[in-house]
Structures are given as C-alpha cells and as structure tokens.
C-alpha cells in the first residue's frame, strides 16, 4: 500500500484548570469519594439552572490566543441531547455554532528539521460527563457524578497529519503548550488530556478524503501511536483486499493493541442540537482579549533560547516547559541567586522528580525557589556537599526547612575549614603510610584513594576539592620536612 | 370575626396584622379551616402545611409585627413546581410523587425573607402543560365559581384557591398563559411579569425561554406587593435580568383619560362564546365611557402564535424533561429489562399522556431533517411576533386583549382533542413569545354566571406602570362576587 | 410536510417513550393521529417568508454575567451532596445504580 497515505485529524479534550465546575461551584478535584462533589445543578435536579464559570471562558480564550485562533466576541452554548447514565440532564452543554475560538494552528518539527503547520478548525467549551463503573457482582452499572460538569475545551484540528509520529508529536507539543499556559494540568492518567483520532487513507496526491474510522478516547501518547499504526494497517488491508472501509466508531484495546468497532450496527445518532435557553451568549470583551494576550507567557522557542543563553542546554531545558510551574520556579530561584546551571541541576535531580511523583506544581512545594537558591549558594560557597544535599533534599522538600539551618542541625554542614581538613588528612596519612609513600614515589593515581579515605573519615562532609589539595600538600610537605 | 379573616385581601390582612387587630395565628387558623372546608370540593391543594404554618405564625406573634417586611405573616400558596425543602415537589406528575428537593427556589427564599407564611402547595397540569388542570396526576381541580367546570390552568389550583378564600395570594407560573387564564376563569387577578423579572431558579422547568413566575391575588395592588417581594436580579439564574426592580407597592392609579390601549384585531375578531362576547363588549363600553382611548390595531404575526409557541415550548420541554429517566431520582418502573427498557418504562409510566405528547412533538421538531422547517422557522417567526408587539407599544400605552374566547368549560371537553385546546390558547401565548409583562383581571361575568377576564400587556420591565393602569381598570369593571365564605359542596352522587 | 407514523415512532424512540394503551396500543393509532394533526397545523408557518429574519431563541435582556471561579462552602456542599444521594431512586453505597450498560 505504498501508494496510499494516511490522513489524520484530532479532537482533543483538555480539562480546564479551574477550581469549580463549568456550570456550578462544586470542586473539580480528582479522587474525591464518589458522588461527594455534586449539587442540584450537576446532577440535573428539577428546577436547577447552570451558571457559567468566568475562569473557564478565560482559559479557553487564552488557549485560542496562544494558538493563533480568532476569539469570537459572542459564542453560544447548545444542548446536545442523548440518554446515558453518566449524563444527568439528558443533554451535554456544548458549543456548536459559533464556538469561542475558530482557526489557529500549531507547528511540529519534522525529521528533516523543517516545520509543518497543523491547522486548527475550532476550540469550543463543553462540560464533561460523569463516570460509569460496571459492577459484575451486582450485575449493575454504578454512576459517579463527581466529574459531571467539569469544564473542558475541545480542540479540533484539520486533517493535516499524515503519520502516527506526526500525530504524537503534535499532541505532545499541544500538551506542553497548554500545560505551560496553565490552561490545563494535563494529567493524562487522570483523563485531563485525551483525544479522539479520525483516520482515513487516500491515494497519494489525491485531495479527496477517504472513509474514516474514529478512534475514541485515547489517554496516552503511546496509545495514540499504537492505535494509529494499527488502524493504518487495518484499513490498508481492507483496501488491498478490495473490501469496503466502513465509517465507524472504534475503541482501542491497549492490551491487545488493536482497534475494535464500538457500535456494530450503524446506530442512528440524532443529537438534536439547539441553543441552550438557560444560558446567555458567552461574551468575550475586547478588553479581556487584550488582558489575556498580555498575560501569555513567552513562546516555547523564546523560552528555550533564553535558557540556552543562561547556560541550560536546549535538550535538557525542555524539562522546564513540559509541566506547569517549573519554568516559573526556575525564574524565581534564578532571580534570587543567578547561577542557572546549579539551580537547573538541583531542580532536575532533586526537586522535579519529587514534585512529579506527588503531582504537585513546584511553586506550591514547601521548599520554595528562595530556599533552592540558598542551597545553590551554599554549594557554590562550598558549605554544602553533593552528598549531604542528596541525603537531606527529601526532608527539605517535605518540610520546607531552611537548608543552612538543617545542614547545621544534622551536622552535615560541609567542612571547608583548612585546619579541620588538615587534621583529618593527618589521620589518613598516619593510618596509610605505605600509600603515602607510593604517592611520594610518583604513583599519582593513588592520591584519589587517599582522598576517598579522607572523605570517608569526614563522613562525606569535607569539601572534596579542598581535600585533595590539602592531603597532597601534606604528603609532599612532610617529605620536604623530613629531608 | 374569624369567618371574615379568610375573606380579607392581602393588603387588608397585612394592615390588620400590623395593627394587631388579629394575630397571625388566627389568620392562619382561619385559612386552614377554609382549606379543610373547601378541599373536598376543589382539590386545589397538593400539600397543606398545617403544623408548620401554625408554628411559624405563633413564633411571629411572639416576636411582634415587623412592618419592614413586605409580607409579614401573610399566608401564600405555591404552585407545586417551586422547590422548597421538607415537602415533595411533584409538578403534578407521578414521576415526582415522592421527590424531595435538596435545595430551595429563589422565589421561596425571598418569600421567607419577606416574612410570608407558606401554607400550601397547589395543584396544576402536570409539568405546567395544560390549560385546565385536568392533566394533574393527582386529579383535577374544580372551579369554585361552578364546580362542574375547570378552573383553567395550568396554575388552576392557585387561582381556585385564591378565589375561594384559601389564601389571599398565590404564586404560579406562566409559560403560555398559565397565570392569566386561570385567574380569568376563576375571577381573580394574575400577573405574568416580564421574562427575566423574577428568578426561575428552583422552579421545575417547562419551556425555559417562556417560563415566568408570578402572583395571583384578588386585587391588583396585592399582586404588586407579592411581586415586590420576589422581583429582581438573581445570580443563580443567568437569564434573569440585572435591571433593578421598580416600586410595585406605592402605586399611583392612572387617570383613565390619559390611557391609550391598542386592541389587536387578530384577537378581538376571533370567534367568541356569546356569554364571553357580551361581557367583553360591556367592558369596552365601560372603558370608553371612562375616557380611555381605544385603538384597533393589526398584528398579523399573531396568527402564527399557536404554531410558534407549541413548537418552541415543546422543543424546550422535550429536553428539559429528559432528566426524568428514572436513573437518579423520581419514579422508576418496577419491571424492566436493559437500560433502554428502564428509561422507556420509567418515562412512559411516570409521565402523563399530555406531557408525553409534547415531548414527542418537541423531539420531532428538533430532529435531523425537521429542525429548519419547524424549530428554526418558529424562532424566526417569534422575532416577528416580538417586533410587532414592541412596535404596537410605541403607538399605545398598553395592548388590551381578551384572556379566553370561551368561559370555563366542563371537564373532559377537549381532553381528546389536543389541537383544539392548543388553539384556544391564542390569546395568552403572544405575551410569552414577546417576553413582556401582562396583567389579567376580571371585567365582569357572563349570563352563564362565569367570570370573564381581560389582559393588559405592556413594555418589558414596566410592571409598575402596568399595575397602575390595572388599578384604573379594576375600578371601572364590576368586581366578581365574593365567594370566600360560600359553602362549596359537591352535589351528592 | 406530511408526517407519517414512522416519524412519530422515530421521535418516540429518540425520546425514550413507549406507546401505551392510551395511545392506541402498540400501533399507537391515537397518538399518531393527534401527532399528524398537530404537525400538519404547524405548516401554517409556511405562509410567511422568514428567510431574512434572525431567529429569536430567548427574550432575555441584561442577563447575568458569568460567576467567579470560587468553590462552594465546603460543609454545606457536602451536606447537599449527601442529601441528593440519600434521596436517590436506587443507590448502592455511594453510587446511583442503573441496569448494566453493555
């Protein structure tokens, strides 16, 4: 099937980073006990009416501005009607026409180093459904409405992608941008960033679209890659064998690594969209657009080149852009103590892995950027050693304690005082006279053994740089004294 | 003395309470007695809060009158679409027979703040869909003026109760005439405020872009006082207007000579029952004699009101009522197979025939292939109706129209002929489509002894001026006979 | 537009309604008859040319602005959630339950 090419379009759902739901003031926190974050509005009680969350519309508009979309001054919510147990009102409230943002684009890097622009069709606001769990023992479906009403944006691309790699690269790039904009937390394992993939094949060079399959609800980059690959193979085989490709909705089975038809018969869907009469049009004022535009963070490209100028390698600096808060944390710490590479190393090795383990925005960690800056300074001044930092960091992170005080309290403060190191060096030379003699005789390599002994004796606290100089001077000086 | 308390108008009752002519307890007791006495015949109430009302009255008597509260110790009833805690909100439906709300309607909260005593919840057509209160799952309400005929609807329980002396004031809802028409058929006053004047929060919805809460009472000024307690912006209902309310209490009656009323030909030239026709003619004579300017106008788009209304209201209802699926609350069928069967059996078993009919119609007009021809077309025609309405009001102070072309009718007259019943609503539907305020008041009674009403319709958010004109008309027209002490007993057998 | 029984039944399926004996039993004769009559009446709208008319979906004026993103009072919210669940039609533990979704 070398003469066929895949045509791929994506519909991405990103959960907006709000404190409350789209139409009620229930919290959006993940992992609350079932049906505790619910009220009359998000459970569809008789007489309840929706109230739009202002923050949600700001975040949607902000995403649009960063993606170069046109933000509509007025957009409308519609009701999308269907029955399902996770949909308490019997309709989803979503934007049909017009949506809050139209157009826009995002570029991805191709293997040859060039960039390809992927056009966006639209971005619209909508509310999420609840969750159904299937209880085999009861033979029933259990419904948890905590998630019902959570604000989402749906970003719809044009069918501009032509391989699984392009699709995954686009998603990664979009994810990282939205996270950095703080539009979403983007925790994919919690379903905060998921996507539907539309995929069809067509003869190369043709501009017509083939019959497409729609793979629903993929929530990891890896699954997107696998699902697209599988679907390309499946459709190719159908074309090769001259079998019809049906338009269908597919589910990706991540265990078997294959797609499966969700609806065997072509079930007629008729959503009966119509303007939601309980909500006024969504209004985004020109002033708000201006304010949001000013609040946009520097672009990814700008941030990377700035970091590179500070001495943070481009390949590694990405780390600061992929999750919310990391770059801001870095900038704050750097503002206090301008040693970019030391601050970056501390974040890369110690802080960020712990934050990510805890799904925590670094800025909200008890160990704030000022403290990390202090730690960097202590290291630079030789008052904190790598080993002590490694040992004590988890505690500093947990408690947010002052690094200087903690090092002192734990007796792990680095020994930089020459006299103190010299005293230890004497001990070492005294207990290892043969090795000292070998060094004197010209076996340079043995010095590191002696330094190691010194470090061990100091329980790692001696400043290693000073230690080697002092012990060398001691051995050679002794020689001079003797002779 | 006690017998008289249930006959007092709301204003009289309030004054008496503040002067301590009688206690709140005595007033509530008198109304409860009247309810017990009349309910076997009327079936106007779905729930009566005897203990709570008496308890509240006693507590208020102890703390003493508070004139700063617009409705201090004034008993009122609520149509059973208002959510209040501690009592079921049934909407007249089997679906919500045991439904206990977990929150309260804004109107209910405001009535409590104003000091009102909520004594009963009143009967209605199921989910407010109907104009006779015959479509209640809890049996029809009878008209206190003649027990053989309907009270109108859908706020039939509210109107019957107010006319019969069960309460001096009531709250209903009006989606296509559901306050104004039963008020006219029972011989009392009903006010439908502008769309967005009163919060809809916590009121069980029928047609979201048409529903509006409003008062019924025995006088125009009583309606004004009731409105004053509940009108105004509400952050819980985004469609509620942010305009501050006007003063609806200290009204200044308009001079008849200063009034010009527009009479739309399309409504006045309809075919009327002779008893209604003669009463309306008499009312027009009284207006002319008092010096009111009457101007016949043409509003051609009114011809489409019935079609436009039933498409839009049914469409909104079909999705507003999708939540009644037996999954979370309300009625669930006892026997069912899979999920889809559970939905169908619960909805079919829990919702009455007229409600199902409108859901079906609304589903159809929104469905693919029919949306443009019906729903969108109706929304376009709605704009024509509203534009015409506003334009007419540039040339006259108010629009004057009949409320019903026929008097209250015998039970069962139209239950098998829905289209004819829909067409009877033509007098009241245009106002909801336009979103303006309307006041229905009695203008006399026909040779059959049944009351006839007219309605004044005004510019949106000009309720004050509407009430002031209403005071003038109220003075001109004969007052309906006082039946607040009449025995209402059903003929035996 | 003539509307046949098929359209009525399709709408009933979309609305998750069954035809009951009142509606003429399984055949739904009475229902279809009323429905056809009512929809037929709606064709009166074909008399007017609305091609240049913007639809009016709601007469709302000066509606409320969106609310601030501030969570509800924690205690009152939890109490309300409990109350909604307690009053549920069929509840198992902390869940609403429905027949198994395939």
């Amino acid at each position: 099937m070398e003469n066929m090419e895949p045509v791929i379009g994506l519909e991405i759902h990103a959960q907006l980073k709000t404190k409350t739901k789209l139409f009620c003031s229930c919290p959006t926190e993940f992992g609350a006990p079932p049906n505790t974050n619910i009220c009359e509005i998000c459970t569809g009680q008789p007489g309840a009416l929706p109230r739009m969350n202002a923050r949600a519309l700001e975040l949607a508009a902000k995403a649009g501005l960063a993606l170069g979309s046109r933000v509509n001054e007025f957009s409308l919510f519609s009701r999308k009607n269907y029955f399902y147990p996770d949909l308490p009102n019997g309709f989803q409230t979503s934007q049909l026409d017009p949506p809050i943002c139209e157009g826009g684009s995002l570029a991805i890097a191709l293997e040859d180093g060039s960039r390809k622009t992927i056009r966006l069709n639209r971005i619209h606001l909508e509310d999420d459904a609840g969750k159904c769990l299937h209880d085999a023992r009861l033979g029933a479906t259990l419904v948890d409405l905590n998630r019902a009403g959570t604000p989402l944006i749906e970003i719809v691309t044009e069918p501009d992608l032509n391989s699984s790699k392009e699709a995954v690269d686009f998603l990664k790039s979009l994810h990282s941008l939205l996270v950095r904009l703080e539009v979403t937390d983007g925790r994919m394992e919690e379903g905060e960033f998921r996507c539907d993939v539309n995929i069809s094949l067509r003869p190369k060079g043709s501009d017509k679209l083939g019959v497409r399959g729609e793979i629903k609800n993929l929530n990891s980059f890896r699954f997107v890659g696998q699902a697209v690959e599988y679907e390309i193979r499946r459709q190719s085989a159908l074309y090769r064998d001259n079998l019809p490709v049906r338009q269908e909705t597919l589910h990706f089975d991540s265990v078997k690594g294959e797609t499966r038809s969700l609806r065997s018969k072509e079930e007629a869907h008729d959503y009966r969209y119509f303007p939601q009469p309980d909500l006024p049009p969504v209004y985004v004022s020109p002033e708000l657009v201006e304010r949001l535009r000013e609040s946009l963070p520097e672009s990814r490209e700008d941030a990377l080149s700035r970091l590179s100028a500070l001495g943070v390698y481009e390949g590694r600096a990405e780390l600061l852009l992929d999750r919310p808060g990391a770059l801001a944390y870095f900038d704050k710490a750097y503002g206090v103590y301008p040693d970019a590479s030391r601050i970056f190393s501390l974040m890369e090795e110690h802080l960020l892995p712990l934050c990510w383990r805890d799904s925590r925005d670094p800025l909200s960690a008890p160990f704030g950027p000022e403290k990390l800056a202090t730690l960097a300074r202590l290291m630079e001044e030789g008052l904190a050693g790598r080993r002590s930092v490694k040992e004590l960091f988890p505690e500093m992170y947990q408690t947010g304690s002052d690094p200087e005080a903690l090092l002192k309290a734990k007796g792990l403060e680095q020994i930089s005082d020459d006299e103190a190191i010299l005293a230890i060096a004497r001990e070492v030379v005294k207990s290892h006279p043969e090795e000292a003699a070998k060094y004197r005789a010209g076996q340079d390599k043995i010095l590191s053994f002696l330094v190691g002994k010194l470090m061990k004796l100091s329980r790692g606290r001696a400043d290693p740089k000073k230690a080697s100089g002092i012990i060398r001077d001691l051995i050679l000086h002794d020689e001079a004294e003797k002779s | 003395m006690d017998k008289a308390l249930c006959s007092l108008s709301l204003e009289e009752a309030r004054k008496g309470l503040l002067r301590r002519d009688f206690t709140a307890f005595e007033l509530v007791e008198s109304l409860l007695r009247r309810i017990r006495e009349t309910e076997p015949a009327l079936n106007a109430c779905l729930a009566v809060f005897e203990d709570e009302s008496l308890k509240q009255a006693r507590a208020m008597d102890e703390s003493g009158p508070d004139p700063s509260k617009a409705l201090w110790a004034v008993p009122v009833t609520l149509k059973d679409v208002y959510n209040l805690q501690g009592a079921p909100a049934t909407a007249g439906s089997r679906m919500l027979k045991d439904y206990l709300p977990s929150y309260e309607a804004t109107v209910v909260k405001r009535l409590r703040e104003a000091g009102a005593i909520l004594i009963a919840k009143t009967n209605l057509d199921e989910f407010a869909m109907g104009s006779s209160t015959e479509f209640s799952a809890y049996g029809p309400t009878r008209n206190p003026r003649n027990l053989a005929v309907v009270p109108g609807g859908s706020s039939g329980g509210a109107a019957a109760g107010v006319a019969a002396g069960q309460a001096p004031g009531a709250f209903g809802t009006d989606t296509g005439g559901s306050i104004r028409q039963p008020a006219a058929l029972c011989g009392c006053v009903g006010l439908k405020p502008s769309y967005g004047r009163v919060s809809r929060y916590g009121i069980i919805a029928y047609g979201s872009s048409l529903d509006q809460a409003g008062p019924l009472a025995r006088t125009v000024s009583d309606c004004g006082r009731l409105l004053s307690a509940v009108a105004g912006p509400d952050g819980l209902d985004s469609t509620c207007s942010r305009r501050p309310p006007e003063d609806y209490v200290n009204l200044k009656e308009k001079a008849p000579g200063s009034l010009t009323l527009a009479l739309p030909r399309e409504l006045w030239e309809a075919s009327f029952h002779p008893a209604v026709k003669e009463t309306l003619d008499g009312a027009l004579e009284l207006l002319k004699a008092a010096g009111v300017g009457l101007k016949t106008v043409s509003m051609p788009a009114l011809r489409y009101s019935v079609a436009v209304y039933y498409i839009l209201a049914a469409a909104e209802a079909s999705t507003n009522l999708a939540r009644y699926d037996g999954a979370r609350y309300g009625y669930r069928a006892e026997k069912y197979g899979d999920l889809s069967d559970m939905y169908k059996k619960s909805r079919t078993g829990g919702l009455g025939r007229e409600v199902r009919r409108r859901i079906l119609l609304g589903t159809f007009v929104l469905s693919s292939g029919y949306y443009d021809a019906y729903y969108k077309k109706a929304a376009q025609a709605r704009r024509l109706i509203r534009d015409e309405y506003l334009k007419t009001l540039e040339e006259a102070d108010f629009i004057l129209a009949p409320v019903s072309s026929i008097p209250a009718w015998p039970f069962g007259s139209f239950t098998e002929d829905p289209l004819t019943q829909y067409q009877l609503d033509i007098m009241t539907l245009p106002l909801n489509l336009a979103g303006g305020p309307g006041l229905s008041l009695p203008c006399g009674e026909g040779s059959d002894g049944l009351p006839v009403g007219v309605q004044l319709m005004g510019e949106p958010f000009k309720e004050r001026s509407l009430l002031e004109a209403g005071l003038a008309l109220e003075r001109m027209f004969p007052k309906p006979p006082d039946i607040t002490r009449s025995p209402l007993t059903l003929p035996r057998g | 537009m003539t509307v046949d029984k098929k359209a009525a039944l399709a709408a009933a399926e979309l609305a998750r309604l069954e035809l009951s004996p009142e509606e003429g039993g399984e055949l739904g004769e009475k229902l279809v008859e009323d429905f056809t009559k009512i929809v037929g009446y709606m064709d009166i709208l074909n008399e007017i040319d609305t091609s240049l008319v913007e639809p009016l979906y709601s007469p709302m004026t000066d509606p409320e602005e969106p609310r601030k993103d501030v969570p509800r009072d924690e205690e009152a919210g939890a109490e309300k959630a409990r109350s909604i669940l307690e009053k549920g039609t069929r509840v198992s533990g902390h869940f609403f339950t429905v027949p198994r979704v395939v």
Side-chain angles (χ1 to χ4, degrees), chain A residues 34-80:
Chain A
N35 291 308
T36 50
N37 290 342
I38 58 170
C39 71
E40 67 269 24
I41 298 168
C42 57
T43 58
Q45 301 288 313
L49 297 172
R51 291 173 286 160
M52 170 80 190
N53 182 338
R55 182 80 188 134
L57 88 86
E58 287 186 16
L59 292 176
K62 188 173 168 188
L65 290 172
L67 288 161
S69 311
R70 204 161 59 251
V71 178
N72 285 319
E73 192 171 5
F74 289 99
S75 55
L76 275 187
F77 276 108
S78 287
R79 293 183 181 178
K80 178 183 180 180

Side-chain angles (χ1 to χ4, degrees), chain C residues 90-102:
Chain C
R90 199 147 316 173
V91 170
S92 166
H94 277 283
F95 295 96
F96 300 101
T97 67
V98 296
R100 202 181 150 75
V101 177
V102 279

